[in-house]
C-alpha cells in the first residue's frame, strides 16, 4: 500500500497544488465585493500558505520554518482576519462600491499578470527548491495584490489587498530558498505587518468618523 | 557598547514615555534622550574613524563610516527638532489648535520614530533594515494624522498605503538579494546571508539575473520612501498636513534613511552588474524627479507643498549623483546628503512659524513676514538661498561636485538637464519666498516676540549652516571621505 509520502517528489507536488489554491483564492477575491467574504478568503489563503510552509519544513527538516508556519497559522489565519472582521462589523459596511475596473475585465487583467509572473519566474527554476511554479505564483499574488489596492476604493479592501501581497512575498521567500529569510527578519516582518494593520484600523475608524464613509474616493481634497 | 546604547536609548525612552503623563516631563525626557543620542553619535563617529568598523550585539549592529555619518545626521535633526517642538506645541496649545492629550502622543511617538531611523543605518542585516524602514512609516503615520482633520487623515491614509505598497517591492528586492546570496554562500550562511559585511565581500559573485531584478525592485521601494518620481505623490500631502516638527523629521531624517538604503544597494549592484545598468536607472529616476519637481515649484500656491517638491528635488539630486558614479559622484551624493540634512530642518521650522502665526498655508494670503516676525523672516530668506544652492552656502559645493561628476562620466545631456532643473527651482523659490517674506504686511500686525525654544533651535541650525559654508571641520571631512569610499566602492 503506497502512501503519498512514499513517492520521492511528493513535497514539490503538494506545494505546487497548495500554491495553485492560493492563486485561485486570489482570483476569487478580485471578483468578490462582500467584505466579510473577502476576509474569509484571505484566511483560507493564509491557511494554504501555512500548509506550504509546513510541507517545506517537513521535507527539508527545518525547525525554523515550522515556527514560521505556526506563526502564519496563529497570526494570518486567526488573529488578523478576526481583527479585520470585527472592524467590518463595527463600521457597519457590508458591501463595497463598484471598483474602477469591472470584475470580468479585472479577471482578464489578473490573468495577464499571472502570465507575466511566470515569464519573470522562469529563469529562477532550480531543482532543490520548490521550483519555478511556486515562485511564479508568488509574483502573481504580489502583482494582483497591488492591482487590488489600486482598483478598490474601499479602505478595508485595500488593507486586505496589502495582506495578500504580503502572503505572496512570504511565499517567494520560501519557494526561492527552501528555508525562508533569516528568522529575525521574518519575525520583524511579521511584527511590522501586525502594527500596520492596527494603525490602518485606527485610521479606518477615524475616516469613518470624519467622512461618514470609508470610500477612499472621498479622500480627494489634496491636490497639486 | 556605544553602538548598542545609541539604538536602545530612544527605544527605552519611548517605552518610558508611554507611562508619563505630565507634559513638562515628556518634554524633558525627549530632549534628554535626543541630547544623549547626539553625544553618543558623535562618539561613535570618532570611534569609527579609529577602528574603521564597529559592531555590537554579536554582529547584529554594525557601523562603518557611512552608517556613522548618517546616524550623526539623524541625531542632529532629532535634537534640533526636539528643541523646536517644545516651542511649537506650546504655541499650538496656546492658540487651542490641539489639546494636551494630543501633544502627548507627539512626544511618545517621536522616540520610536528616531529609534527606527537609527536602526535603519546601524543594523548589519539588509532584512532588518527593511523592517526598520517600514517601522519609520508606522511610527510616523499617526504624526501625519496629528491634527485629525479631514485633510490630515487623507494625507495619512495615502502615506501608509503608498508607503506600504512601495516597501513591499523593496521586500521583494531584498528576498531576491538573499536568494542570490544563498546561491553563493550555501545554505550554511542562511542566518548571515543578508548581512552587509558578508554581502559586500562577495558582491561580484552574486547571480546577476537575480540582482538586476533585486536592484530594480529595491530602487522602486526605497525610492517611494525617498519620494522619487513617480512614487512621490504622498509627499506633498504628508508634508503639508503634518505638524512642522514631524515634517522636519520626515524631510531631513527619513529621506536620508531611504537614500542610505539606495546607496548600499547601488554599491552592491555596481559590484555585481557593473555601473552601466545601475547608473542608467539611477540617473533616470534622479533626473526625472528634479525635472518634474521644477514646474510644480513654479506654479505652487501652498508653501508647505512647495517644501515637499524641494524635498523631491533633493532626493533626485542625490540619486542622480549616485548614478553619475565614480568617486566624484559618490562624494557629491554623500556631501549633498550631509548638507541637505543640516539645512532642511531650518526651512521646515521657518515655514512652521509662518503657518502658526498666520494660520494659512497659502502664499497669496501672506506678505511681509519679515516685518511681523523679524527673525523668522530673515532666516527664511537666508535658508531659501542656502537650500537652493547659492554660494557661499554648502549646497552649492555639493551640487557643483555633482555637476563635475556628470561631466566626468560623459553624461553631458543629463548634466545640462540637471542644471536646467536646479536653476528653474532656484528661481521659483526665490520669487515665492521674496513675495512671502518681503513687502508690506496685510494688516498692521504688531511685531511679535518669538518663542525662545523655537528661536533657539533655529539659531543653532543657522549657525551650523553658515559655518559649513566656509569651513568643513577636518574630522567631518575624513568621515565623509571614508563614507564616499564605501558608496563608490574601493577602486
Amino acid at each position: 500500500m503506497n502512501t503519498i509520502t512514499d513517492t520521492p517528489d511528493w513535497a514539490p507536488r503538494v506545494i505546487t497544488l497548495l500554491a495553485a489554491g492560493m492563486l485561485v483564492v486570489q482570483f476569487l477575491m478580485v471578483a468578490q465585493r462582500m467584505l466579510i467574504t473577502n476576509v474569509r478568503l484571505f484566511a483560507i489563503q493564509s491557511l494554504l500558505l501555512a500548509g506550504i510552509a509546513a510541507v517545506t519544513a517537513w521535507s527539508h527538516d527545518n525547525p525554523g520554518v515550522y515556527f514560521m508556519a505556526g506563526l502564519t497559522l496563529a497570526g494570518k489565519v486567526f488573529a488578523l482576519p478576526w481583527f479585520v472582521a470585527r472592524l467590518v462589523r463595527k463600521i457597519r459596511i457590508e458591501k463595497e462600491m463598484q471598483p474602477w475596473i469591472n470584475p470580468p475585465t479585472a479577471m482578464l487583467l489578473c490573468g495577464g499578470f499571472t502570465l507575466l509572473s511566470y515569464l519573470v519566474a522562469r529563469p529562477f527554476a532550480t531543482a532543490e527548491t520548490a521550483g519555478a511554479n511556486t515562485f511564479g505564483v508568488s509574483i502573481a499574488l504580489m502583482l494582483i495584490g497591488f492591482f487590488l489596492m489600486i482598483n478598490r476604493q474601499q479602505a478595508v479592501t485595500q488593507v486586505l489587498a496589502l495582506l495578500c501581497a504580503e502572503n505572496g512575498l512570504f511565499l517567494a521567500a520560501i519557494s526561492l530558498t527552501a528555508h525562508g529569510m533569516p528568522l529575525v527578519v521574518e519575525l520583524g516582518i511579521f511584527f511590522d505587518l501586525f502594527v500596520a494593520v492596527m494603525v490602518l484600523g485606527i485610521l479606518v475608524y477615524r475616516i469613518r468618523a470624519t467622512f461618514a464613509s470609508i470610500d477612499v474616493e472621498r479622500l480627494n481634497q489634496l491636490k497639486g | 557598547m556605544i553602538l548598542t546604547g545609541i539604538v536602545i536609548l530612544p527605544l527605552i525612552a519611548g517605552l518610558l514615555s508611554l507611562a508619563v503623563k505630565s507634559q513638562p516631563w515628556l518634554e524633558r525626557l525627549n530632549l534628554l534622550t535626543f541630547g544623549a543620542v547626539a553625544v553618543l553619535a558623535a562618539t561613535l563617529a570618532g570611534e569609527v574613524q579609529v577602528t574603521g568598523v564597529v559592531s555590537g550585539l554579536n554582529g547584529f549592529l554594525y557601523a562603518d563610516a557611512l552608517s556613522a555619518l548618517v546616524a550623526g545626521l539623524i541625531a542632529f535633526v532629532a535634537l534640533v527638532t526636539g528643541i523646536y517642538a517644545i516651542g511649537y506645541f506650546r504655541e499650538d496649545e496656546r492658540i487651542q489648535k490641539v489639546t494636551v492629550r494630543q501633544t502627548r502622543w507627539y512626544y511618545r511617538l517621536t522616540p520610536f520614530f528616531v529609534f527606527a531611523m537609527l536602526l535603519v543605518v546601524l543594523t548589519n542585516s539588509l532584512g532588518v533594515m527593511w523592517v526598520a524602514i517600514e517601522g519609520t512609516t508606522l511610527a510616523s503615520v499617526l504624526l501625519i494624522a496629528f491634527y485629525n482633520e479631514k485633510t490630515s487623515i487623507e494625507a495619512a491614509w495615502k502615506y501608509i498605503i503608498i508607503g506600504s505598497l512601495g516597501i513591499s517591492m523593496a521586500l521583494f528586492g531584498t528576498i531576491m538579494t538573499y536568494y542570490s546570496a544563498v546561491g553563493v554562500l550555501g545554505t550554511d550562511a542562511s542566518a548571515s546571508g543578508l548581512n552587509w559585511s558578508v554581502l559586500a565581500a562577495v558582491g561580484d559573485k552574486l547571480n546577476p539575473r537575480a540582482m538586476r531584478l533585486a536592484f530594480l525592485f529595491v530602487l522602486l521601494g526605497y525610492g517611494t520612501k525617498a519620494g522619487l518620481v513617480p512614487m512621490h505623490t504622498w509627499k506633498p500631502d504628508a508634508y503639508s498636513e503634518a505638524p512642522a516638527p514631524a515634517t522636519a523629521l520626515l524631510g531631513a531624517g527619513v529621506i536620508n534613511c531611504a537614500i542610505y538604503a539606495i546607496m548600499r544597494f547601488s554599491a552592491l549592484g555596481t559590484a555585481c552588474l557593473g555601473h552601466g545598468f545601475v547608473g542608467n536607472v539611477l540617473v533616470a529616476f534622479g533626473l526625472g524627479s528634479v525635472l518634474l519637481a521644477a514646474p510644480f515649484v513654479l506654479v505652487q500656491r501652498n508653501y508647505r507643498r512647495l517644501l515637499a517638491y524641494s524635498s523631491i528635488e533633493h532626493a533626485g539630486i542625490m540619486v542622480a549623483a549616485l548614478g553619475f558614479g565614480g568617486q566624484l559622484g559618490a562624494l557629491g551624493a554623500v556631501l549633498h546628503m550631509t548638507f541637505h540634512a543640516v539645512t532642511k530642518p531650518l526651512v521646515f521650522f521657518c515655514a512652521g512659524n509662518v503657518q502658526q502665526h498666520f494660520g494659512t498655508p497659502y502664499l497669496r494670503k501672506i506678505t511681509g513676514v519679515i516685518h511681523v516676525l523679524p527673525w523668522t523672516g530673515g532666516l527664511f530668506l537666508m535658508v531659501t538661498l542656502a537650500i537652493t544652492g547659492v554660494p557661499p552656502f554648502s549646497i552649492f559645493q555639493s551640487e557643483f561636485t555633482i555637476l563635475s561628476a556628470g561631466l566626468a562620466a560623459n553624461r553631458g545631456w543629463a548634466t545640462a538637464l540637471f542644471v536646467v532643473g536646479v536653476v528653474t527651482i532656484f528661481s521659483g523659490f526665490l520669487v515665492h519666498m521674496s513675495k512671502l517674506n518681503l513687502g508690506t504686511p496685510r494688516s498692521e500686525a504688531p511685531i511679535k516676540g518669538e518663542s525662545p525654544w523655537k528661536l533657539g533651535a533655529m539659531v543653532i541650525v543657522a549657525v551650523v549652516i553658515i559655518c559649513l559654508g566656509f569651513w568643513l571641520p577636518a574630522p567631518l571631512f575624513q568621515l565623509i571621505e571614508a563614507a564616499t569610499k564605501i558608496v563608490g566602492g574601493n577602486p
Side-chain angles (χ1 to χ4, degrees), chain B residues 171-190:
Chain B
L171 181 57
F172 184 73
T174 310
I175 292 172
M176 293 307 290
T177 310
Y178 182 58
Y179 163 73
S180 44
V182 171
V184 178
L185 303 163
T187 34
D188 310 332
S190 57

Side-chain angles (χ1 to χ4, degrees), chain A residues 158 179 192 219 221 223, chain B residues 131 134 141 154 157 178 305:
Chain A
Q158 288 190 341
H179 49 73
D192 272 352
L219 302 180
Q221 293 186 17
K223 280 182 188 128
Chain B
V131 172
E134 172 73 356
V141 62
E154 177 184 343
W157 185 261
Y178 182 58
R305 298 177 81 82

Side-chain angles (χ1 to χ4, degrees), chain A residues 123-124 155 158 162 169 176 179-180 182 188-189 192 196 199-200 206-207 210-211 219-224, chain B residues 131 134 138 141 145 148 150-151 153-154 157 160 168 172 175-176 178-179 187 190 209 237 241 300 305 309:
Chain A
F124 299 102
Q158 288 190 341
L162 182 68
L169 288 165
L176 279 178
H179 49 73
I189 294 170
D192 272 352
V199 171
L200 285 162
R206 287 202 197 168
I207 292 174
T210 28
F211 291 85
L219 302 180
N220 61 0
Q221 293 186 17
L222 296 172
K223 280 182 188 128
Chain B
V131 172
E134 172 73 356
L138 299 174
V141 62
N148 218 356
K150 278 191 176 185
T151 44
I153 291 173
E154 177 184 343
W157 185 261
I160 192 168
S168 334
F172 184 73
I175 292 172
M176 293 307 290
Y178 182 58
Y179 163 73
T187 34
S190 57
R209 207 195 290 265
D237 300 346
E241 292 306 317
Q300 198 49 250
R305 298 177 81 82
Y309 284 103

Side-chain angles (χ1 to χ4, degrees), chain A residues 78-218:
Chain A
F78 295 109
L80 286 180
W82 172 79
F83 178 80
V84 180
R86 206 180 63 134
L87 195 66
V88 171
R89 274 194 293 275
K90 281 214 173 157
I91 54 179
R92 292 165 196 281
I93 291 175
E94 289 177 344
K95 200 171 169 182
E96 78 170 299
M97 289 172 39
Q98 197 67 36
W100 300 110
I101 297 172
N102 63 25
T105 321
M107 290 285 246
L108 218 60
L109 262 174
C110 291
F113 287 141
T114 314
L115 218 63
L116 181 73
S117 311
Y118 270 79
L119 284 179
V120 174
R122 224 168 48 185
F124 299 102
T126 53
E128 54 174 316
T129 58
N133 267 327
T134 320
F135 184 49
V137 169
S138 73
I139 300 181
L141 291 181
M142 190 173 75
L143 289 182
I144 298 175
F146 292 163
F147 167 74
L148 276 176
M149 271 171 99
I150 297 162
N151 189 33
R152 297 302 178 90
Q153 303 161 44
Q154 223 257 2
V156 175
T157 346
Q158 288 190 341
V159 178
L160 283 173
L162 182 68
L163 289 170
C164 288
E166 214 281 332
N167 270 355
L169 288 165
F170 184 71
L171 185 63
I174 291 188
S175 66
L176 279 178
T177 59
H179 49 73
M181 304 263 273
L183 200 59
V184 55
V185 179
E186 293 280 17
L187 282 177
I189 294 170
F190 226 85
F191 174 77
D192 272 352
L193 196 68
F194 261 83
V195 178
V197 174
M198 300 296 140
V199 171
L200 285 162
I202 296 175
L203 280 180
V204 168
Y205 278 124
R206 287 202 197 168
I207 292 174
R208 174 76 170 151
T210 28
F211 291 85
S213 147
I214 54 166
D215 292 332
V216 180
E217 207 188 355
R218 304 245 182 125

